[in-house]
Amino acid sequence: GSLIEQLTTEKYECMVCCEVVRIVAPVWSCQNCYHVFHLNCIKKWARSPASQAEDGNSGWRCPACQNASTQVPKTYTCFCGKVHNPEWNRNEIPHSCGELCGKKRQCLDCPHLCNILCHPGPCPSCPAFVTKTCECGQTSHSVRCGQSTKIHCSNVCGSTLNCGKHSCTQVCHAGKCSPCQLTAQQVCYCGSNFKEVLCGTKEEFSDGFGNFSCQNICGKKLNCGRHNCTQVCHPQPCQLCPRLPQVVYRCPCGQTPLSKLLELGCVERKICTDPIPSCGKTCGKPLSCGSYEFIHTCESLCHEGDCRPCSHTSNIYCRCGFKKKVIMTAFLFCWVFLVLIAAITFMCDKRCNKKRSCGRHKCTEVCCVDTEHKCSLVCGRKLNCGLHRCEEPCHRGSCQTCWQTSFDELTCYCGESVIYPPVPCGTQPPECKKTCTRPHDCDHPVYHSCHSEEKCPPCTYLTQKWCMGKHELRSNIPCHLTDISCGLRCNQMLKCGMHRCKRICHKGECLIDEECKQPCIIPRLYCNHPCMAPCHPSSPCPTTSCCAKVRYPKKIHCKFTAAISIATKLTDLQLGDSVEISRLITKKEMKQARLQCDEECLALQRNRRLAEALEIDDNSDPFNIRSSGPKYSDLLKEDARKDLKFVSDIEKEMRMLVEAVNKGKHTKKSHCYPPMNRDHRRIIHELAQVYGIESVSYDNEPKRNVVITAVKGKSICPSNTLTSVLDKEMQSRAPPPIPHYKQTDKSSGNSGLSKPLKEEPVIDYFDVQD
C-alpha cells in the first residue's frame, strides 16, 4: 500500500542516485527486499567495485539488503516479469503490466500462485482453505493455506520409541519422539559385573549369557577342568587349555620338539598338569627391555614360566641429551623400567639460556627440549594510547594499536569542534580555531586559541610593573612575570641599622634566617680605623689589635702600642718641635710592634733572590708585570653599568675560551654569539682587546652577530675583570639617586600604579662626582 502510493505520487526515491522515481522511468525491483531502483542506476552500481561481494565470485550486492546476485539486469520488465517495457496506464499501478501476478508465494508448502494484479513488494498470504493433519497424524483440521502455524491435538502420541519395545507417552508434538527413559540391567560376558543402562541403548555382541565386556580376567574353568581362562572378559567360548598334551609339541624354550626328547628317554605327558620336558639349552627368548638395535635375551636354561630379570645395563639420557646415566638392572626388571621411563623422565639441572620468541626474556627452563621457545609471559607494554597495556603474549616488534573505542563524542573545551564516534582510544581532542573561553587570572585581551590543556599559556600583554625592590617602574613587562629585577643593588637598610643590602634587586627580605656579616665600620678609640669585625649591633666592638695597613715609613700594621706612645708626644709636635720616632717607642714596644712576615713578604723575597741570580735590575720591568693591569675606558665602564649581567656572562665566556685554548692542543678556538644590538657588540669588541682575542662582526642588521677567536700564547686573562673593577667603584662612591613614584591601593587597577603628581627633572644616574 505505502510502496504503491509513493510510486503513484512520485515520492519514492532511488537509493543510488537519491532522485525521485518517475512514473515513466525504467526501474528494477529487488526480489529479496523489494526496493525499487532506476534501471540505469542499478546497472552502474552493479559494474562499480564497491558493489562486489566479499568473496569476489558471488556477483554484486543489492544496495539495500546486500543480497548477492550473479546477473546484471539489462531489460525493463514489470514487477511479475512477464512484460518487457510495460506502458504506463493511468488506471494501473506504475511499472506494472495490469495482468495477474502468477508468482509463487513465499510459503514453501503453498501450491497456489498469487491471484492479484501485477504489484510491487511481496505477494500476500494465500487465502485458500486446505485440510491439514496434526503432528501425530490422528486428527485433521481445515485451515488457510498460508497459515504457517503447526496443528496440535490433545491426544497421546503413541509412536514406537527407539528401543522398539515401548510407546511415546507425550501429547501430540512436533519432531521426533525423545529416547526411551526406562532403564534395564545388563550383565558382562563373564557374569561377574552388572550395570544399569537406558532402554534402547546400543548393546554389544551377545553370546547368550552377557551383553558387554567388563575388561577383567575371564577366570572361567577351561575344558581341562584344572586351569582357568586368562583372557580378558570376552563373548566367544574360552580357548582350549594351553598345556594339554595334544597342544604342546615343543619344549618350553621352543627350540627342541618333544618327539626328540621322548627318544632321549623323557617321560611322555598324559595330562595338562604333567611338567613339560626341558631341552637343557639356553632359553634365548627376547626380553621386553631390549630395543630394535640391541635385543636382550634370557640367559637361563630352558624353563617354564616367565624369564628372570635382565642382567644387562641400560644407558638413559636426560630430555635435552646433555647428561647420561648408567642403570644396573640387576635389582630392577627392565620391562618395569621401560614402562616407567615414559612417566618419570630423567632430567638434568642445566638451565636453558636461549632467548625466547619475544627476544626479551630467556627460557631458564631446566632440561629444556623446546625448539621454538615460545614466551608465555604477558607483554605488558603500554600501547600507543598511553592508557592501556598490551595483554597479548610477549612478542617481537611493536604492539598493536589499542582496540578500545569510545562511542561518545569527543569535543574541544568550547564545544565548537567535534569528533563523532567511534573514537579510537588515545585520540587527542580536535583542534579549535576559536578564541579560548577558559577563565583567566587577568582581564587583558586573549589572543590564544581554544586548547585541551588545563592550564592556559601565560599572558604576554605588556604592562608596567615595579621591580622587587621598588627601585623603578619598568615598562613593557609581560603580564605573567611577577618577580622583576632592575639590576641595581638593593641598598635597603638591614636589621642591624648600620649596613645596607649589597645584593642585586631581589624578592623578599634581605636577611631571613641570617645575621649581618658585613664588617663593622665604627672607628676605633685610638687609631680611628674601622673595627672591621663582623657586624655586632647589640654589643661593643671587641678589643682586638688593628690590622689596617699604613705607610710609616714602610708598610706596617697599626698597633695599639705604637699609637699610645705617639699620642703622649702630640703636644710637642703641635708646638713645632721635632721628635725622633725611635725615642718614642722603647725596645720592648718595638718588639711588640714588629710584624711577622706573611705570604706576600715571602713572595717578594723569592722574587728578589731570583732577580739577583738572573742579574735583573729592580727598576726594569721586562715582563711588563707592573703595568699588566688592564685599562678599561670610561665609555666601556658606562656601557657595562647598564647591563652588569650581560658583561659578567661575556667575561665568563671569554675566560673559559682562553683557558680552553691555552690548555688544549688546538692553536685557535672560536665562539659565536647570537645576534645582538650595537651597544652589546661594542662591549664585546672592547673586552676582546683586553683579553687579546680577535673579534669580527658578520651579517647585516638585525641579525648581525660577533665571532671571537682566542689564539694560543696571545690571549690571556686579565688580573682584574671589568665586573670586579665596577664593584670596587660602586663600593667607594655614593649611591646614585633613585626616583620614587607614589603607589596607589591594590584596588585602583590591575597594575596597582598611579601617575606622579608632577613631572620631575630627568636624572643622569652616572653623572656622579667623586
Side-chain angles (χ1 to χ4, degrees):
S2 176
L3 180 59
I4 296 174
E5 182 182 356
Q6 291 181 6
L7 291 173
T8 305
T9 57
E10 295 186 344
K11 294 183 179 180
Y12 190 86
E13 292 183 357
C14 175
M15 291 184 62
V16 178
C17 64
C18 297
E19 296 290 339
V20 176
V21 178
R22 301 295 178 182
I23 294 176
V24 294
V27 297
W28 176 82
S29 177
C30 178
Q31 298 301 317
N32 185 54
C33 61
Y34 304 104
H35 275 77
V36 180
F37 307 91
H38 288 119
L39 181 62
N40 293 333
C41 293
I42 205 65
K43 287 181 179 179
K44 293 180 182 179
W45 167 257
R47 289 191 296 267
S48 65
S51 66
Q52 300 303 315
E54 294 181 357
D55 55 2
N57 299 322
S58 301
W60 56 280
R61 298 176 289 108
C62 172
C65 64
Q66 306 298 314
N67 182 46
S69 302
T70 56
Q71 296 182 354
V72 179
K74 298 180 180 179
T75 58
Y76 169 42
T77 60
C78 63
F79 294 112
C80 63
K82 296 177 182 178
V83 180
H84 293 272
N85 298 321
E87 296 182 357
W88 175 64
N89 189 348
R90 188 181 300 273
N91 298 324
E92 297 176 356
I93 301 174
H95 314 291
S96 67
C97 60
E99 302 294 334
L100 289 177
C101 177
K103 291 191 294 185
K104 184 174 176 58
R105 303 179 189 275
Q106 291 182 348
C107 298
L108 298 178
D109 56 348
C110 178
H112 309 104
L113 301 178
C114 181
N115 57 357
I116 63 175
L117 297 180
C118 181
H119 62 90
C123 298
S125 59
C126 183
F129 281 86
V130 295
T131 302
K132 290 186 178 181
T133 59
C134 63
E135 294 293 337
C136 64
Q138 299 182 19
T139 59
S140 60
H141 301 272
S142 180
V143 295
R144 293 189 64 172
C145 180
Q147 184 178 353
S148 60
T149 57
K150 301 293 182 180
I151 300 175
H152 299 277
C153 66
S154 58
N155 300 328
V156 177
C157 178
S159 300
T160 305
L161 297 179
N162 60 334
C163 62
K165 301 177 182 179
H166 308 98
S167 301
C168 180
T169 58
Q170 295 181 351
V171 180
C172 180
H173 60 85
K176 294 182 179 180
C177 299
S178 57
C180 183
Q181 300 298 320
L182 299 177
T183 59
Q185 191 179 43
Q186 293 181 353
V187 64
C188 69
Y189 298 124
C190 63
S192 59
N193 292 314
F194 299 87
K195 67 177 181 179
E196 297 286 339
V197 296
L198 292 175
C199 182
T201 302
K202 184 178 180 182
E203 297 180 355
E204 299 179 11
F205 178 79
S206 176
D207 60 351
F209 298 97
N211 305 96
F212 68 96
S213 174
C214 64
Q215 300 300 320
N216 295 329
I217 300 300
C218 178
K220 293 181 180 179
K221 287 289 185 181
L222 298 178
N223 56 353
C224 66
R226 297 180 180 86
H227 299 97
N228 297 328
C229 181
T230 58
Q231 292 183 333
V232 178
C233 182
H234 54 89
Q236 296 85 0
C238 296
Q239 63 181 358
L240 297 176
C241 179
R243 293 183 60 84
L244 289 175
Q246 57 269 27
V247 175
V248 179
Y249 297 99
R250 290 182 173 272
C251 65
C253 68
Q255 301 181 34
T256 306
L258 293 181
S259 58
K260 289 186 178 182
L261 297 178
L262 293 175
E263 295 176 358
L264 296 176
C266 292
V267 181
E268 184 180 0
R269 298 177 69 244
K270 299 293 182 69
I271 57 176
C272 62
T273 56
D274 293 339
I276 301 175
S278 174
C279 64
K281 300 179 182 179
T282 303
C283 178
K285 292 181 181 179
L287 300 177
S288 59
C289 63
S291 60
Y292 295 102
E293 298 178 358
F294 302 99
I295 299 176
H296 297 173
T297 57
C298 181
E299 298 177 354
S300 302
L301 297 179
C302 181
H303 60 87
E304 295 187 41
D306 296 334
C307 297
R308 293 182 179 179
C310 180
S311 60
H312 295 279
T313 59
S314 299
N315 296 331
I316 60 171
Y317 292 86
C318 63
R319 294 191 309 174
C320 65
F322 181 71
K323 284 189 178 182
K324 178 181 71 173
K325 277 188 177 181
V326 178
I327 302 297
M328 297 297 296
T329 56
F331 304 100
L332 182 66
F333 293 101
C334 291
W335 65 272
V336 176
F337 175 78
L338 292 176
V339 170
L340 296 178
I341 195 170
I344 306 174
T345 308
F346 164 55
M347 295 173 59
C348 65
D349 55 354
K350 179 185 177 183
R351 290 189 176 274
C352 181
N353 290 325
K354 293 183 179 180
K355 287 281 188 178
R356 293 187 178 180
S357 58
C358 63
R360 295 170 55 191
H361 307 106
K362 288 186 178 182
C363 181
T364 67
E365 185 178 353
V366 177
C367 195
C368 179
V369 294
D370 195 1
T371 56
E372 297 181 358
H373 300 280
K374 291 184 177 181
C375 187
S376 59
L377 301 176
V378 178
C379 178
R381 287 183 288 191
K382 277 195 174 183
L383 299 177
N384 57 343
C385 64
L387 302 175
H388 307 98
R389 294 185 178 273
C390 181
E391 298 179 356
E392 295 183 358
C394 196
H395 56 85
R396 290 181 180 269
S398 303
C399 299
Q400 297 181 358
T401 55
C402 185
W403 55 269
Q404 299 197 23
T405 305
S406 173
F407 292 92
D408 298 331
E409 294 181 354
L410 182 62
T411 62
C412 63
Y413 180 82
C414 63
E416 291 291 333
S417 299
V418 183
I419 297 179
Y420 294 97
V423 180
C425 182
T427 304
Q428 298 296 327
E431 294 185 0
C432 180
K433 296 183 179 179
K434 300 291 183 180
T435 306
C436 179
T437 58
R438 294 175 183 264
H440 299 85
D441 297 334
C442 60
D443 297 332
H444 298 136
V446 179
Y447 297 108
H448 59 270
S449 303
C450 179
H451 53 89
S452 58
E453 294 81 8
E454 295 184 1
K455 189 176 181 180
C456 289
C459 178
T460 57
Y461 190 82
L462 299 180
T463 60
Q464 290 183 342
K465 291 189 177 183
W466 285 93
C467 65
M468 293 181 289
K470 305 298 181 182
H471 300 135
E472 61 180 4
L473 181 65
R474 308 299 298 270
S475 301
N476 297 331
I477 303 299
C479 175
H480 68 276
L481 295 180
T482 56
D483 301 333
I484 306 165
S485 176
C486 61
L488 302 176
R489 285 197 174 183
C490 177
N491 208 30
Q492 292 185 4
M493 184 62 68
L494 300 178
K495 296 179 181 180
C496 63
M498 185 185 306
H499 303 98
R500 293 184 178 273
C501 181
K502 294 184 178 181
R503 294 168 58 190
I504 301 299
C505 181
H506 59 86
K507 181 181 178 181
E509 298 182 3
C510 297
L511 297 176
I512 302 176
D513 297 331
E514 300 179 0
E515 296 181 355
C516 179
K517 297 181 180 180
Q518 298 185 28
C520 178
I521 59 175
I522 299 177
R524 295 175 180 270
L525 297 178
Y526 300 102
C527 62
N528 290 329
H529 290 136
C531 175
M532 300 306 290
C535 183
H536 48 86
S538 60
S539 60
C541 294
T543 57
T544 57
S545 59
C546 180
C547 295
K549 295 182 179 181
V550 296
R551 295 281 181 179
Y552 187 82
K554 60 181 181 178
K555 191 175 182 181
I556 62 172
H557 286 75
C558 175
K559 295 294 183 178
F560 283 119
T561 55
I564 294 171
S565 301
I566 296 175
T568 57
K569 302 296 182 179
L570 283 177
T571 306
D572 297 337
L573 291 173
Q574 292 176 356
L575 294 176
D577 297 337
S578 60
V579 179
E580 188 176 353
I581 297 178
S582 60
R583 296 180 181 179
L584 297 178
I585 304 176
T586 62
K587 293 182 179 180
K588 182 178 181 181
E589 293 172 349
M590 287 293 291
K591 292 180 180 179
Q592 294 176 354
R594 185 173 299 172
L595 302 176
Q596 296 181 357
C597 293
D598 53 5
E599 294 181 357
E600 183 178 359
C601 298
L602 297 176
L604 291 175
Q605 292 177 7
R606 184 172 60 254
N607 294 339
R608 191 180 299 110
R609 290 195 300 267
L610 184 61
E612 291 176 358
L614 298 176
E615 296 180 358
I616 298 175
D617 190 5
D618 294 342
N619 298 325
S620 62
D621 190 10
F623 299 104
N624 197 19
I625 297 175
R626 298 186 181 91
S627 61
S628 61
K631 294 182 180 180
Y632 301 101
S633 63
D634 295 338
L635 179 61
L636 178 59
K637 293 180 181 180
E638 183 177 352
D639 293 338
R641 290 191 185 97
K642 297 178 182 179
D643 198 343
L644 288 175
K645 187 178 184 303
F646 172 76
V647 175
S648 176
D649 294 341
I650 294 299
E651 288 188 321
K652 182 179 179 182
E653 186 65 39
M654 288 185 177
R655 184 175 63 256
M656 292 174 60
L657 187 65
V658 172
E659 292 177 354
V661 75
N662 289 332
K663 294 180 180 179
K665 297 180 181 180
H666 301 283
T667 57
K668 290 185 178 182
K669 273 198 175 183
S670 301
H671 176 75
C672 180
Y673 288 101
M676 57 186 68
N677 56 33
R678 184 186 304 169
D679 296 336
H680 286 177
R681 294 199 303 270
R682 185 173 63 251
I683 293 175
I684 294 177
H685 287 307
E686 294 188 18
L687 285 176
Q689 295 178 1
V690 177
Y691 281 79
I693 298 175
E694 300 175 0
S695 60
V696 183
S697 296
Y698 294 96
D699 294 336
N700 298 325
E701 297 289 354
K703 296 185 178 180
R704 193 166 179 81
N705 65 327
V706 181
V707 178
I708 60 174
T709 304
V711 182
K712 190 172 185 179
K714 179 181 176 182
S715 303
I716 58 173
C717 295
S719 57
N720 295 327
T721 60
L722 178 57
T723 53
S724 63
V725 172
L726 293 178
D727 288 342
K728 291 181 181 178
E729 291 181 359
M730 292 181 68
Q731 290 179 3
S732 60
R733 66 173 60 185
I738 299 175
H740 298 281
Y741 297 96
K742 183 178 180 182
Q743 286 183 306
T744 61
D745 296 334
K746 295 182 179 179
S747 61
S748 61
N750 294 332
S751 61
L753 306 172
S754 63
K755 297 181 178 179
L757 298 177
K758 62 180 181 178
E759 296 182 356
E760 295 184 0
V762 179
I763 301 174
D764 188 357
Y765 293 91
F766 300 98
D767 187 12
V768 181
Q769 297 181 358
D770 293 336

